[in-house]
Amino acid sequence: MSYKIYQILLLAAILFTACNQKKPKESPRIFYVNSYHIGYGSSDDVMKGINETLAGKNVELRTFFLDAKRQTSDSAMIRSVNHALIEIDQFNPDVLIVSDDNAVRELVVPHFNNTPMPVVFCGVNWSATQYHLGENVTGMLEVLPLREMLTEVISNYPETKKLVVLSENSLSEQNNRTLLDTLYRNLGLEVTYYFAEDFAGWKSYFEMANSSADLVYMPTNGAIKNWNEEEAKAFVFENLKIPVVTCDDFMMPYAVFGLTKVAKEQGEWAAKTALQILEGKKPDQIQQTSNRQTAGWLNISLARKINFRISEHRKQQCKEI
């Protein structure tokens, strides 16, 4: 082999090695894993809170979407998690932020729990005890103002006994069924669950609920296949007979009344907590917490159709749509 060829091969080997090495850090890095997808209202607000809080800070942020509401098969989730792991390894972050249950269960628990990687979560519904998270993990639980909302409706409709929970068929909603069933029953409600796979099924369940129940609670719709926003609005208006309520503001086009979380709060908290960790604080020095901010909503056209009523005090606190 000639010396010139040797030099060329040596240079190629050096360039190959350099291209495959982790990029040297110029500023602290935060990797954010969003369980869902762009366009899903709640996680969009969480992401907005993260982006706005970190804007102007000396940090580099990268975001990855697991797409768990649209890609629901086990094989799709495995592929998505593997892609996330590759990107995390290449990015070499100092802190990992994750939002919602899928990212915690599928990514954090098997790959980052009880490791040196600091992890901050948000959007985990009601409790994280089922995940047995280690000292390297802290977060903000998502606790909805559900009891307060249902109590408001029941106080104005004391005959309310039969509740239908109409939602998507997803990990979060199945978890919520386990966590919230006692809450419903303690309020004196007989609860039936309808978890829709697609839009046609959701419409069928909506008609059934309006014919058989006193109240419908609609948490979310992100995993319902073939959802059509305009058709859903028209369908609800045509078939609405009883109060329909929600705890997520993006569901208000299809609900009469909502007492909702403010999802952006969770993103803001997660980003601020990540910054504290970058400044030297340990995750186990930051107490796990839950969201506090709420907002009231009233869908005027739907409320008028069924002559929906709430207390004057609550009505004055509501934003109208």
mmCIF file with all atom_site columns, all heavy atoms in Angstrom, residues 196-221:
data_model
loop_
_atom_site.group_PDB
_atom_site.id
_atom_site.type_symbol
_atom_site.label_atom_id
_atom_site.label_alt_id
_atom_site.label_comp_id
_atom_site.label_asym_id
_atom_site.label_entity_id
_atom_site.label_seq_id
_atom_site.pdbx_PDB_ins_code
_atom_site.Cartn_x
_atom_site.Cartn_y
_atom_site.Cartn_z
_atom_site.occupancy
_atom_site.B_iso_or_equiv
_atom_site.pdbx_formal_charge
_atom_site.auth_seq_id
_atom_site.auth_comp_id
_atom_site.auth_asym_id
_atom_site.auth_atom_id
_atom_site.pdbx_PDB_model_num
ATOM 1   N N   . ALA A 1 196 ? -64.158 4.588  22.699 1.00 0.00 ? 196 ALA A N   1
ATOM 2   C CA  . ALA A 1 196 ? -64.324 4.494  21.246 1.00 0.00 ? 196 ALA A CA  1
ATOM 3   C C   . ALA A 1 196 ? -62.990 4.314  20.535 1.00 0.00 ? 196 ALA A C   1
ATOM 4   O O   . ALA A 1 196 ? -62.018 5.010  20.841 1.00 0.00 ? 196 ALA A O   1
ATOM 5   C CB  . ALA A 1 196 ? -65.031 5.736  20.723 1.00 0.00 ? 196 ALA A CB  1
ATOM 6   N N   . GLU A 1 197 ? -62.966 3.413  19.566 1.00 0.00 ? 197 GLU A N   1
ATOM 7   C CA  . GLU A 1 197 ? -61.782 3.221  18.725 1.00 0.00 ? 197 GLU A CA  1
ATOM 8   C C   . GLU A 1 197 ? -61.768 4.204  17.560 1.00 0.00 ? 197 GLU A C   1
ATOM 9   O O   . GLU A 1 197 ? -60.704 4.674  17.163 1.00 0.00 ? 197 GLU A O   1
ATOM 10  C CB  . GLU A 1 197 ? -61.750 1.784  18.172 1.00 0.00 ? 197 GLU A CB  1
ATOM 11  C CG  . GLU A 1 197 ? -61.586 0.707  19.219 1.00 0.00 ? 197 GLU A CG  1
ATOM 12  C CD  . GLU A 1 197 ? -60.168 0.592  19.736 1.00 0.00 ? 197 GLU A CD  1
ATOM 13  O OE1 . GLU A 1 197 ? -59.271 1.221  19.138 1.00 0.00 ? 197 GLU A OE1 1
ATOM 14  O OE2 . GLU A 1 197 ? -59.950 -0.114 20.737 1.00 0.00 ? 197 GLU A OE2 1
ATOM 15  N N   . ASP A 1 198 ? -62.956 4.503  17.019 1.00 0.00 ? 198 ASP A N   1
ATOM 16  C CA  . ASP A 1 198 ? -63.021 5.378  15.847 1.00 0.00 ? 198 ASP A CA  1
ATOM 17  C C   . ASP A 1 198 ? -64.219 6.321  15.953 1.00 0.00 ? 198 ASP A C   1
ATOM 18  O O   . ASP A 1 198 ? -65.032 6.235  16.880 1.00 0.00 ? 198 ASP A O   1
ATOM 19  C CB  . ASP A 1 198 ? -63.081 4.566  14.547 1.00 0.00 ? 198 ASP A CB  1
ATOM 20  C CG  . ASP A 1 198 ? -64.231 3.570  14.515 1.00 0.00 ? 198 ASP A CG  1
ATOM 21  O OD1 . ASP A 1 198 ? -65.270 3.823  15.169 1.00 0.00 ? 198 ASP A OD1 1
ATOM 22  O OD2 . ASP A 1 198 ? -64.117 2.540  13.844 1.00 0.00 ? 198 ASP A OD2 1
ATOM 23  N N   . PHE A 1 199 ? -64.293 7.240  15.004 1.00 0.00 ? 199 PHE A N   1
ATOM 24  C CA  . PHE A 1 199 ? -65.307 8.294  15.037 1.00 0.00 ? 199 PHE A CA  1
ATOM 25  C C   . PHE A 1 199 ? -66.716 7.725  14.934 1.00 0.00 ? 199 PHE A C   1
ATOM 26  O O   . PHE A 1 199 ? -67.637 8.189  15.617 1.00 0.00 ? 199 PHE A O   1
ATOM 27  C CB  . PHE A 1 199 ? -65.029 9.284  13.899 1.00 0.00 ? 199 PHE A CB  1
ATOM 28  C CG  . PHE A 1 199 ? -65.893 10.506 13.918 1.00 0.00 ? 199 PHE A CG  1
ATOM 29  C CD1 . PHE A 1 199 ? -66.125 11.215 15.092 1.00 0.00 ? 199 PHE A CD1 1
ATOM 30  C CD2 . PHE A 1 199 ? -66.467 10.974 12.743 1.00 0.00 ? 199 PHE A CD2 1
ATOM 31  C CE1 . PHE A 1 199 ? -66.918 12.357 15.104 1.00 0.00 ? 199 PHE A CE1 1
ATOM 32  C CE2 . PHE A 1 199 ? -67.255 12.118 12.741 1.00 0.00 ? 199 PHE A CE2 1
ATOM 33  C CZ  . PHE A 1 199 ? -67.485 12.810 13.917 1.00 0.00 ? 199 PHE A CZ  1
ATOM 34  N N   . ALA A 1 200 ? -66.894 6.722  14.079 1.00 0.00 ? 200 ALA A N   1
ATOM 35  C CA  . ALA A 1 200 ? -68.220 6.106  13.937 1.00 0.00 ? 200 ALA A CA  1
ATOM 36  C C   . ALA A 1 200 ? -68.665 5.502  15.263 1.00 0.00 ? 200 ALA A C   1
ATOM 37  O O   . ALA A 1 200 ? -69.829 5.648  15.667 1.00 0.00 ? 200 ALA A O   1
ATOM 38  C CB  . ALA A 1 200 ? -68.191 5.046  12.836 1.00 0.00 ? 200 ALA A CB  1
ATOM 39  N N   . GLY A 1 201 ? -67.758 4.821  15.948 1.00 0.00 ? 201 GLY A N   1
ATOM 40  C CA  . GLY A 1 201 ? -68.094 4.254  17.245 1.00 0.00 ? 201 GLY A CA  1
ATOM 41  C C   . GLY A 1 201 ? -68.405 5.318  18.273 1.00 0.00 ? 201 GLY A C   1
ATOM 42  O O   . GLY A 1 201 ? -69.326 5.167  19.085 1.00 0.00 ? 201 GLY A O   1
ATOM 43  N N   . TRP A 1 202 ? -67.646 6.411  18.242 1.00 0.00 ? 202 TRP A N   1
ATOM 44  C CA  . TRP A 1 202 ? -67.888 7.511  19.176 1.00 0.00 ? 202 TRP A CA  1
ATOM 45  C C   . TRP A 1 202 ? -69.291 8.103  18.972 1.00 0.00 ? 202 TRP A C   1
ATOM 46  O O   . TRP A 1 202 ? -70.006 8.362  19.941 1.00 0.00 ? 202 TRP A O   1
ATOM 47  C CB  . TRP A 1 202 ? -66.837 8.602  18.978 1.00 0.00 ? 202 TRP A CB  1
ATOM 48  C CG  . TRP A 1 202 ? -66.997 9.781  19.880 1.00 0.00 ? 202 TRP A CG  1
ATOM 49  C CD1 . TRP A 1 202 ? -66.494 9.941  21.144 1.00 0.00 ? 202 TRP A CD1 1
ATOM 50  C CD2 . TRP A 1 202 ? -67.717 10.995 19.595 1.00 0.00 ? 202 TRP A CD2 1
ATOM 51  N NE1 . TRP A 1 202 ? -66.862 11.162 21.659 1.00 0.00 ? 202 TRP A NE1 1
ATOM 52  C CE2 . TRP A 1 202 ? -67.614 11.826 20.726 1.00 0.00 ? 202 TRP A CE2 1
ATOM 53  C CE3 . TRP A 1 202 ? -68.436 11.442 18.490 1.00 0.00 ? 202 TRP A CE3 1
ATOM 54  C CZ2 . TRP A 1 202 ? -68.201 13.088 20.779 1.00 0.00 ? 202 TRP A CZ2 1
ATOM 55  C CZ3 . TRP A 1 202 ? -69.024 12.700 18.538 1.00 0.00 ? 202 TRP A CZ3 1
ATOM 56  C CH2 . TRP A 1 202 ? -68.901 13.502 19.680 1.00 0.00 ? 202 TRP A CH2 1
ATOM 57  N N   . LYS A 1 203 ? -69.688 8.292  17.729 1.00 0.00 ? 203 LYS A N   1
ATOM 58  C CA  . LYS A 1 203 ? -71.020 8.841  17.457 1.00 0.00 ? 203 LYS A CA  1
ATOM 59  C C   . LYS A 1 203 ? -72.118 7.901  17.961 1.00 0.00 ? 203 LYS A C   1
ATOM 60  O O   . LYS A 1 203 ? -73.118 8.354  18.531 1.00 0.00 ? 203 LYS A O   1
ATOM 61  C CB  . LYS A 1 203 ? -71.184 9.097  15.955 1.00 0.00 ? 203 LYS A CB  1
ATOM 62  C CG  . LYS A 1 203 ? -70.360 10.261 15.440 1.00 0.00 ? 203 LYS A CG  1
ATOM 63  C CD  . LYS A 1 203 ? -70.760 10.683 14.035 1.00 0.00 ? 203 LYS A CD  1
ATOM 64  C CE  . LYS A 1 203 ? -70.400 9.639  13.021 1.00 0.00 ? 203 LYS A CE  1
ATOM 65  N NZ  . LYS A 1 203 ? -70.704 10.103 11.636 1.00 0.00 ? 203 LYS A NZ  1
ATOM 66  N N   . SER A 1 204 ? -71.912 6.609  17.763 1.00 0.00 ? 204 SER A N   1
ATOM 67  C CA  . SER A 1 204 ? -72.894 5.638  18.247 1.00 0.00 ? 204 SER A CA  1
ATOM 68  C C   . SER A 1 204 ? -72.994 5.682  19.765 1.00 0.00 ? 204 SER A C   1
ATOM 69  O O   . SER A 1 204 ? -74.101 5.688  20.335 1.00 0.00 ? 204 SER A O   1
ATOM 70  C CB  . SER A 1 204 ? -72.491 4.237  17.778 1.00 0.00 ? 204 SER A CB  1
ATOM 71  O OG  . SER A 1 204 ? -73.371 3.257  18.289 1.00 0.00 ? 204 SER A OG  1
ATOM 72  N N   . TYR A 1 205 ? -71.853 5.742  20.430 1.00 0.00 ? 205 TYR A N   1
ATOM 73  C CA  . TYR A 1 205 ? -71.846 5.825  21.896 1.00 0.00 ? 205 TYR A CA  1
ATOM 74  C C   . TYR A 1 205 ? -72.497 7.118  22.382 1.00 0.00 ? 205 TYR A C   1
ATOM 75  O O   . TYR A 1 205 ? -73.197 7.136  23.402 1.00 0.00 ? 205 TYR A O   1
ATOM 76  C CB  . TYR A 1 205 ? -70.410 5.757  22.416 1.00 0.00 ? 205 TYR A CB  1
ATOM 77  C CG  . TYR A 1 205 ? -69.774 4.391  22.351 1.00 0.00 ? 205 TYR A CG  1
ATOM 78  C CD1 . TYR A 1 205 ? -68.416 4.258  22.066 1.00 0.00 ? 205 TYR A CD1 1
ATOM 79  C CD2 . TYR A 1 205 ? -70.509 3.232  22.600 1.00 0.00 ? 205 TYR A CD2 1
ATOM 80  C CE1 . TYR A 1 205 ? -67.804 3.010  22.025 1.00 0.00 ? 205 TYR A CE1 1
ATOM 81  C CE2 . TYR A 1 205 ? -69.916 1.984  22.548 1.00 0.00 ? 205 TYR A CE2 1
ATOM 82  C CZ  . TYR A 1 205 ? -68.558 1.887  22.261 1.00 0.00 ? 205 TYR A CZ  1
ATOM 83  O OH  . TYR A 1 205 ? -67.969 0.642  22.225 1.00 0.00 ? 205 TYR A OH  1
ATOM 84  N N   . PHE A 1 206 ? -72.248 8.217  21.665 1.00 0.00 ? 206 PHE A N   1
ATOM 85  C CA  . PHE A 1 206 ? -72.818 9.503  22.068 1.00 0.00 ? 206 PHE A CA  1
ATOM 86  C C   . PHE A 1 206 ? -74.348 9.443  22.039 1.00 0.00 ? 206 PHE A C   1
ATOM 87  O O   . PHE A 1 206 ? -75.020 9.919  22.970 1.00 0.00 ? 206 PHE A O   1
ATOM 88  C CB  . PHE A 1 206 ? -72.318 10.615 21.149 1.00 0.00 ? 206 PHE A CB  1
ATOM 89  C CG  . PHE A 1 206 ? -72.720 12.003 21.589 1.00 0.00 ? 206 PHE A CG  1
ATOM 90  C CD1 . PHE A 1 206 ? -71.922 12.724 22.473 1.00 0.00 ? 206 PHE A CD1 1
ATOM 91  C CD2 . PHE A 1 206 ? -73.889 12.595 21.133 1.00 0.00 ? 206 PHE A CD2 1
ATOM 92  C CE1 . PHE A 1 206 ? -72.285 13.995 22.889 1.00 0.00 ? 206 PHE A CE1 1
ATOM 93  C CE2 . PHE A 1 206 ? -74.265 13.862 21.539 1.00 0.00 ? 206 PHE A CE2 1
ATOM 94  C CZ  . PHE A 1 206 ? -73.458 14.562 22.416 1.00 0.00 ? 206 PHE A CZ  1
ATOM 95  N N   . GLU A 1 207 ? -74.903 8.856  20.988 1.00 0.00 ? 207 GLU A N   1
ATOM 96  C CA  . GLU A 1 207 ? -76.364 8.716  20.897 1.00 0.00 ? 207 GLU A CA  1
ATOM 97  C C   . GLU A 1 207 ? -76.891 7.833  22.017 1.00 0.00 ? 207 GLU A C   1
ATOM 98  O O   . GLU A 1 207 ? -77.923 8.145  22.643 1.00 0.00 ? 207 GLU A O   1
ATOM 99  C CB  . GLU A 1 207 ? -76.737 8.125  19.536 1.00 0.00 ? 207 GLU A CB  1
ATOM 100 C CG  . GLU A 1 207 ? -76.580 9.091  18.379 1.00 0.00 ? 207 GLU A CG  1
ATOM 101 C CD  . GLU A 1 207 ? -77.064 8.479  17.074 1.00 0.00 ? 207 GLU A CD  1
ATOM 102 O OE1 . GLU A 1 207 ? -76.541 7.410  16.704 1.00 0.00 ? 207 GLU A OE1 1
ATOM 103 O OE2 . GLU A 1 207 ? -77.960 9.061  16.438 1.00 0.00 ? 207 GLU A OE2 1
ATOM 104 N N   . MET A 1 208 ? -76.213 6.726  22.285 1.00 0.00 ? 208 MET A N   1
ATOM 105 C CA  . MET A 1 208 ? -76.636 5.821  23.359 1.00 0.00 ? 208 MET A CA  1
ATOM 106 C C   . MET A 1 208 ? -76.625 6.533  24.704 1.00 0.00 ? 208 MET A C   1
ATOM 107 O O   . MET A 1 208 ? -77.562 6.396  25.499 1.00 0.00 ? 208 MET A O   1
ATOM 108 C CB  . MET A 1 208 ? -75.705 4.602  23.397 1.00 0.00 ? 208 MET A CB  1
ATOM 109 C CG  . MET A 1 208 ? -75.856 3.658  22.220 1.00 0.00 ? 208 MET A CG  1
ATOM 110 S SD  . MET A 1 208 ? -74.494 2.437  22.106 1.00 0.00 ? 208 MET A SD  1
ATOM 111 C CE  . MET A 1 208 ? -74.632 1.643  23.695 1.00 0.00 ? 208 MET A CE  1
ATOM 112 N N   . ALA A 1 209 ? -75.561 7.295  24.957 1.00 0.00 ? 209 ALA A N   1
ATOM 113 C CA  . ALA A 1 209 ? -75.445 7.999  26.237 1.00 0.00 ? 209 ALA A CA  1
ATOM 114 C C   . ALA A 1 209 ? -76.550 9.015  26.413 1.00 0.00 ? 209 ALA A C   1
ATOM 115 O O   . ALA A 1 209 ? -77.126 9.148  27.496 1.00 0.00 ? 209 ALA A O   1
ATOM 116 C CB  . ALA A 1 209 ? -74.083 8.671  26.327 1.00 0.00 ? 209 ALA A CB  1
ATOM 117 N N   . ASN A 1 210 ? -76.868 9.751  25.368 1.00 0.00 ? 210 ASN A N   1
ATOM 118 C CA  . ASN A 1 210 ? -77.902 10.773 25.454 1.00 0.00 ? 210 ASN A CA  1
ATOM 119 C C   . ASN A 1 210 ? -79.297 10.184 25.600 1.00 0.00 ? 210 ASN A C   1
ATOM 120 O O   . ASN A 1 210 ? -80.224 10.890 25.998 1.00 0.00 ? 210 ASN A O   1
ATOM 121 C CB  . ASN A 1 210 ? -77.839 11.685 24.225 1.00 0.00 ? 210 ASN A CB  1
ATOM 122 C CG  . ASN A 1 210 ? -76.871 12.827 24.398 1.00 0.00 ? 210 ASN A CG  1
ATOM 123 O OD1 . ASN A 1 210 ? -77.240 13.931 24.779 1.00 0.00 ? 210 ASN A OD1 1
ATOM 124 N ND2 . ASN A 1 210 ? -75.594 12.553 24.137 1.00 0.00 ? 210 ASN A ND2 1
ATOM 125 N N   . SER A 1 211 ? -79.428 8.913  25.296 1.00 0.00 ? 211 SER A N   1
ATOM 126 C CA  . SER A 1 211 ? -80.732 8.246  25.442 1.00 0.00 ? 211 SER A CA  1
ATOM 127 C C   . SER A 1 211 ? -80.872 7.507  26.769 1.00 0.00 ? 211 SER A C   1
ATOM 128 O O   . SER A 1 211 ? -81.993 7.200  27.177 1.00 0.00 ? 211 SER A O   1
ATOM 129 C CB  . SER A 1 211 ? -80.935 7.250  24.291 1.00 0.00 ? 211 SER A CB  1
ATOM 130 O OG  . SER A 1 211 ? -80.958 7.920  23.046 1.00 0.00 ? 211 SER A OG  1
ATOM 131 N N   . SER A 1 212 ? -79.735 7.227  27.437 1.00 0.00 ? 212 SER A N   1
ATOM 132 C CA  . SER A 1 212 ? -79.808 6.354  28.607 1.00 0.00 ? 212 SER A CA  1
ATOM 133 C C   . SER A 1 212 ? -79.269 6.961  29.893 1.00 0.00 ? 212 SER A C   1
ATOM 134 O O   . SER A 1 212 ? -79.521 6.421  30.971 1.00 0.00 ? 212 SER A O   1
ATOM 135 C CB  . SER A 1 212 ? -79.032 5.065  28.326 1.00 0.00 ? 212 SER A CB  1
ATOM 136 O OG  . SER A 1 212 ? -77.653 5.349  28.104 1.00 0.00 ? 212 SER A OG  1
ATOM 137 N N   . ALA A 1 213 ? -78.520 8.061  29.802 1.00 0.00 ? 213 ALA A N   1
ATOM 138 C CA  . ALA A 1 213 ? -77.840 8.607  30.982 1.00 0.00 ? 213 ALA A CA  1
ATOM 139 C C   . ALA A 1 213 ? -78.397 9.972  31.369 1.00 0.00 ? 213 ALA A C   1
ATOM 140 O O   . ALA A 1 213 ? -79.217 10.556 30.664 1.00 0.00 ? 213 ALA A O   1
ATOM 141 C CB  . ALA A 1 213 ? -76.339 8.695  30.725 1.00 0.00 ? 213 ALA A CB  1
ATOM 142 N N   . ASP A 1 214 ? -77.915 10.473 32.504 1.00 0.00 ? 214 ASP A N   1
ATOM 143 C CA  . ASP A 1 214 ? -78.272 11.824 32.956 1.00 0.00 ? 214 ASP A CA  1
ATOM 144 C C   . ASP A 1 214 ? -77.159 12.830 32.662 1.00 0.00 ? 214 ASP A C   1
ATOM 145 O O   . ASP A 1 214 ? -77.414 14.038 32.593 1.00 0.00 ? 214 ASP A O   1
ATOM 146 C CB  . ASP A 1 214 ? -78.513 11.819 34.474 1.00 0.00 ? 214 ASP A CB  1
ATOM 147 C CG  . ASP A 1 214 ? -79.586 10.827 34.881 1.00 0.00 ? 214 ASP A CG  1
ATOM 148 O OD1 . ASP A 1 214 ? -80.661 10.838 34.245 1.00 0.00 ? 214 ASP A OD1 1
ATOM 149 O OD2 . ASP A 1 214 ? -79.345 10.054 35.822 1.00 0.00 ? 214 ASP A OD2 1
ATOM 150 N N   . LEU A 1 215 ? -75.928 12.329 32.494 1.00 0.00 ? 215 LEU A N   1
ATOM 151 C CA  . LEU A 1 215 ? -74.772 13.199 32.340 1.00 0.00 ? 215 LEU A CA  1
ATOM 152 C C   . LEU A 1 215 ? -73.680 12.454 31.579 1.00 0.00 ? 215 LEU A C   1
ATOM 153 O O   . LEU A 1 215 ? -73.486 11.256 31.781 1.00 0.00 ? 215 LEU A O   1
ATOM 154 C CB  . LEU A 1 215 ? -74.246 13.611 33.719 1.00 0.00 ? 215 LEU A CB  1
ATOM 155 C CG  . LEU A 1 215 ? -72.987 14.475 33.798 1.00 0.00 ? 215 LEU A CG  1
ATOM 156 C CD1 . LEU A 1 215 ? -73.236 15.853 33.187 1.00 0.00 ? 215 LEU A CD1 1
ATOM 157 C CD2 . LEU A 1 215 ? -72.534 14.612 35.261 1.00 0.00 ? 215 LEU A CD2 1
ATOM 158 N N   . VAL A 1 216 ? -72.975 13.165 30.695 1.00 0.00 ? 216 VAL A N   1
ATOM 159 C CA  . VAL A 1 216 ? -71.860 12.585 29.943 1.00 0.00 ? 216 VAL A CA  1
ATOM 160 C C   . VAL A 1 216 ? -70.593 13.367 30.270 1.00 0.00 ? 216 VAL A C   1
ATOM 161 O O   . VAL A 1 216 ? -70.584 14.603 30.205 1.00 0.00 ? 216 VAL A O   1
ATOM 162 C CB  . VAL A 1 216 ? -72.106 12.623 28.418 1.00 0.00 ? 216 VAL A CB  1
ATOM 163 C CG1 . VAL A 1 216 ? -70.893 12.054 27.667 1.00 0.00 ? 216 VAL A CG1 1
ATOM 164 C CG2 . VAL A 1 216 ? -73.366 11.861 28.051 1.00 0.00 ? 216 VAL A CG2 1
ATOM 165 N N   . TYR A 1 217 ? -69.548 12.633 30.609 1.00 0.00 ? 217 TYR A N   1
ATOM 166 C CA  . TYR A 1 217 ? -68.219 13.231 30.803 1.00 0.00 ? 217 TYR A CA  1
ATOM 167 C C   . TYR A 1 217 ? -67.329 12.794 29.642 1.00 0.00 ? 217 TYR A C   1
ATOM 168 O O   . TYR A 1 217 ? -67.141 11.599 29.413 1.00 0.00 ? 217 TYR A O   1
ATOM 169 C CB  . TYR A 1 217 ? -67.629 12.795 32.143 1.00 0.00 ? 217 TYR A CB  1
ATOM 170 C CG  . TYR A 1 217 ? -66.171 13.156 32.333 1.00 0.00 ? 217 TYR A CG  1
ATOM 171 C CD1 . TYR A 1 217 ? -65.684 14.421 32.007 1.00 0.00 ? 217 TYR A CD1 1
ATOM 172 C CD2 . TYR A 1 217 ? -65.268 12.226 32.853 1.00 0.00 ? 217 TYR A CD2 1
ATOM 173 C CE1 . TYR A 1 217 ? -64.350 14.746 32.187 1.00 0.00 ? 217 TYR A CE1 1
ATOM 174 C CE2 . TYR A 1 217 ? -63.938 12.540 33.047 1.00 0.00 ? 217 TYR A CE2 1
ATOM 175 C CZ  . TYR A 1 217 ? -63.478 13.800 32.698 1.00 0.00 ? 217 TYR A CZ  1
ATOM 176 O OH  . TYR A 1 217 ? -62.153 14.127 32.879 1.00 0.00 ? 217 TYR A OH  1
ATOM 177 N N   . MET A 1 218 ? -66.789 13.760 28.897 1.00 0.00 ? 218 MET A N   1
ATOM 178 C CA  . MET A 1 218 ? -65.928 13.473 27.755 1.00 0.00 ? 218 MET A CA  1
ATOM 179 C C   . MET A 1 218 ? -64.519 13.991 28.031 1.00 0.00 ? 218 MET A C   1
ATOM 180 O O   . MET A 1 218 ? -64.260 15.193 27.879 1.00 0.00 ? 218 MET A O   1
ATOM 181 C CB  . MET A 1 218 ? -66.491 14.100 26.480 1.00 0.00 ? 218 MET A CB  1
ATOM 182 C CG  . MET A 1 218 ? -67.770 13.459 25.995 1.00 0.00 ? 218 MET A CG  1
ATOM 183 S SD  . MET A 1 218 ? -68.137 13.757 24.251 1.00 0.00 ? 218 MET A SD  1
ATOM 184 C CE  . MET A 1 218 ? -68.096 15.535 24.160 1.00 0.00 ? 218 MET A CE  1
ATOM 185 N N   . PRO A 1 219 ? -63.596 13.123 28.418 1.00 0.00 ? 219 PRO A N   1
ATOM 186 C CA  . PRO A 1 219 ? -62.244 13.575 28.743 1.00 0.00 ? 219 PRO A CA  1
ATOM 187 C C   . PRO A 1 219 ? -61.418 14.006 27.532 1.00 0.00 ? 219 PRO A C   1
ATOM 188 O O   . PRO A 1 219 ? -60.764 15.052 27.563 1.00 0.00 ? 219 PRO A O   1
ATOM 189 C CB  . PRO A 1 219 ? -61.616 12.351 29.415 1.00 0.00 ? 219 PRO A CB  1
ATOM 190 C CG  . PRO A 1 219 ? -62.758 11.486 29.824 1.00 0.00 ? 219 PRO A CG  1
ATOM 191 C CD  . PRO A 1 219 ? -63.812 11.723 28.794 1.00 0.00 ? 219 PRO A CD  1
ATOM 192 N N   . THR A 1 220 ? -61.428 13.210 26.445 1.00 0.00 ? 220 THR A N   1
ATOM 193 C CA  . THR A 1 220 ? -60.500 13.484 25.347 1.00 0.00 ? 220 THR A CA  1
ATOM 194 C C   . THR A 1 220 ? -60.910 12.726 24.094 1.00 0.00 ? 220 THR A C   1
ATOM 195 O O   . THR A 1 220 ? -61.805 11.877 24.131 1.00 0.00 ? 220 THR A O   1
ATOM 196 C CB  . THR A 1 220 ? -59.060 13.104 25.762 1.00 0.00 ? 220 THR A CB  1
ATOM 197 O OG1 . THR A 1 220 ? -58.132 13.531 24.753 1.00 0.00 ? 220 THR A OG1 1
ATOM 198 C CG2 . THR A 1 220 ? -58.916 11.607 25.992 1.00 0.00 ? 220 THR A CG2 1
ATOM 199 N N   . ASN A 1 221 ? -60.227 13.015 22.980 1.00 0.00 ? 221 ASN A N   1
ATOM 200 C CA  . ASN A 1 221 ? -60.562 12.354 21.710 1.00 0.00 ? 221 ASN A CA  1
ATOM 201 C C   . ASN A 1 221 ? -59.344 12.075 20.830 1.00 0.00 ? 221 ASN A C   1
ATOM 202 O O   . ASN A 1 221 ? -59.473 11.656 19.691 1.00 0.00 ? 221 ASN A O   1
ATOM 203 C CB  . ASN A 1 221 ? -61.544 13.231 20.913 1.00 0.00 ? 221 ASN A CB  1
ATOM 204 C CG  . ASN A 1 221 ? -60.921 14.563 20.487 1.00 0.00 ? 221 ASN A CG  1
ATOM 205 O OD1 . ASN A 1 221 ? -59.820 14.913 20.925 1.00 0.00 ? 221 ASN A OD1 1
ATOM 206 N ND2 . ASN A 1 221 ? -61.612 15.309 19.659 1.00 0.00 ? 221 ASN A ND2 1
#
